Amino acid sequence: MSLVERITSFADAKVWYGNLPIESLYTVGIAGEKFFRAIKDRGVIMGSVCPSCNLTYLPPMMYCERCFAELEEWVEVGTKGTVYTYTVVGVSLGGAPLEQPEILALIKIEGAHGGLVHRLGEVKPEETEIGMPVEAVLKPKKDREGSILDIKHFKPA
Amino acid sequence: MRQVAIVGVGYSGFRSISPDLSYKELMYEAAAKAYDDAGVDPRRDVESFVSVAEDFNEGTSIFDEYVPDQIGGVLKPVHTIPGDGIHGLIAAYMQVLTGAMDIVMVEAHSKASNVLTLSDVVAYAMDPIYNRPLRANPLFIAGMEMNRYLYKTGTTEEQCAQVVVKNRANGFLNPSAAYGARLSLDAVLSSEPLSYPLKRLEVSSHADGAIVMVLASGDVAQELSALPIWITGVGWCNETPSLETRDWESATYARNSAEMAYRVAGIRNPRLEIDFAEVDDTFAYKELQHMEALGLCREGEAGLLLEEGDTELDGELPLNPSGGNLGVGHLLDASGLARVLEVVLQLRGIAGQRQLEDVETGLAFGWRSIPTTSGAAVVLSN
Ligand SMILES: [Zn+2]
């Protein structure tokens, strides 16, 4: 199917422009509140425990995605882990080439089910490998605001 | 149980831009062709309409309001599913199974060229509290998964690149594919890394188009069509949305979807009973990972079978004869329905230059792309 007349310039193919400035709030919730307060105030990473599945969730959830139980037990999981997988991102959010490619990784924390997705720092892409031990580098306490970015990055341990 | 068949298909596209047609006109064209193919009048014969759309991709809130008119569904039962096209097909299939309907249609489309900030839309699909603050291009998820998949299975970067060479060459034989091409392995391997080890040519490019299918119950299908294509099994599964706790190695969502579809279809040994498959290849490594998860070979074997030519058009188990998302173009939520479309064309024996010989049973599998673990499978027989 096509138009009756041939289109010879882009301007003839009429389009209308629209946009929507979407802004949202996201309640971090009971589990998120506990997790971010622990990082901000005490510099520790906490997970929530499902005793019947014997799993410690990280990021913590207030329910178990395996057995649907409400989780009430919490433990500190430490700030050390290993690189489960990583990538070197060469483009920005909008797709433009990055001058300084970023290393992103899923860091599995020992004893936890899950881990944290974060940047790796103080390491070059060619030195990065799966299985590499890393530890969290936190921002100075005064700069922390209760966000995943209170962790600056993970660095080789 | 009632039998359900696809008795008509129609599509518009697929191309990188479609400046001449509005999304409604793309849908109208596909629907008109499908009704003509099925020999039905939508105003008189079609009892229910299922469309597949996601508001953010459409640029319109409450998009389901904008669906009925261009598919002939005004004043009739219509609903819209935000999912993969195969989820929509399964919904239509189940409506026929209830016995309340005999003729139901499903529609999915992509007007990706009208979405000016597609990567922002994908980024907005990530967990806002734990993942989004990193402000990384969402392709990082595919890069991390590919890296882990290669590490776990021993699959090589060359094998992933070979998927692109194969599928774009298949697309070259498909007149409706937007990105058919004869590429060298080197061209793929040397395209720039977007998210190591994932390279630019290993990421499917978006295309515009619409696909409509008409489903009918057993007797009605026999009356309408000389060659109804029977839906013999369906399955679908979502793993966890959590990037942190999901399976990064073996596409569990695909395995569970296929196991359900095989169970419904009574398939015990998919390797022997499936003649060919159309499987999601949004990223090149995904074809290999999905092939393994769908039980079409053992874990770590897909890359080797590809190298041996098993998944070529003339191989033991042709994969993505249409060209897949890499060759046809990624059609947003219509991608899964494009996989089904090719299975239907092949089983009808009208796939032209890429027609496979002696095919009786085909599998289509769709995935909703990053950051999801949302999959759906359907088994079809002629
Ligand atoms: Zn549990």
Side-chain angles (χ1 to χ4, degrees), chain A residues 1-3 7 10 13 15 17 20 22-24 26-28 31-32 35-36 57-61 65 84-95 102 104-106 108 113-119 130 148-149, chain B residues 15 17 19-21 25 28-29 56 61 114 116 119-120 123-124 128-141 143-148 151 193-197 240-249:
Chain A
M1 201 179 281
S2 59
L3 298 180
I7 294 174
F10 286 116
V15 292
Y17 175 83
L20 172 65
I22 294 169
E23 295 182 31
S24 310
Y26 302 93
T27 303
V28 299
F35 174 78
F36 288 117
Y57 280 96
L58 185 66
M61 301 189 224
E65 65 181 24
Y84 181 78
T85 186
Y86 72 95
T87 185
V88 185
V89 188
V91 286
S92 71
L93 191 51
E102 284 185 333
L104 274 100
L106 172 58
K108 293 268 185 181
H113 173 59
L116 293 173
V117 174
H118 221 293
R119 293 193 188 91
I130 289 175
I148 196 70
L149 301 179
Chain B
R15 41 196 174 133
I17 56 170
D20 50 341
L21 296 181
E25 291 162 343
Y28 175 73
E29 181 178 327
F56 278 95
S61 319
N114 273 1
L116 300 181
S119 61
D120 293 270
Y124 220 62
I129 295 167
Y130 291 99
N131 306 142
R132 222 190 285 163
L134 296 169
R135 291 195 55 76
N137 187 301
L139 282 173
F140 87 84
I141 297 167
M144 291 206 323
E145 189 185 42
M146 179 177 171
N147 200 9
R148 184 71 198 184
Y151 173 84
L194 295 181
S195 187
Y196 168 85
T240 176
S242 161
L243 295 182
E244 294 84 0
T245 61
R246 67 174 51 171
D247 172 5
W248 284 81
E249 293 173 341

Side-chain angles (χ1 to χ4, degrees), chain B residues 6-9 37-38 225 227 229 343-351 355 382:
Chain B
I6 295 170
V7 295
V9 294
D37 187 37
S225 174
L227 192 53
I229 303 302
V343 174
V344 171
L345 299 180
Q346 291 285 352
L347 291 174
R348 282 180 169 187
I350 54 167
Q355 180 64 48
N382 55 16

Side-chain angles (χ1 to χ4, degrees), chain B residues 71-118:
Chain B
I71 56 178
V74 167
L75 296 173
K76 298 247 195 161
V78 179
H79 71 97
T80 300
I81 293 177
D84 179 73
I86 296 179
H87 289 112
L89 179 81
I90 294 171
Y93 162 83
M94 291 191 292
Q95 289 188 14
V96 178
L97 277 190
T98 64
M101 319 269 186
D102 280 317
I103 303 178
V104 178
M105 72 84 82
V106 57
E107 182 278 340
H109 62 276
S110 160
K111 188 74 171 168
S113 68
N114 273 1
V115 190
L116 300 181
T117 51
L118 201 47

Side-chain angles (χ1 to χ4, degrees), chain A residues 50 52-53 64 67:
Chain A
C50 178
S52 43
C53 295
C64 175
C67 74

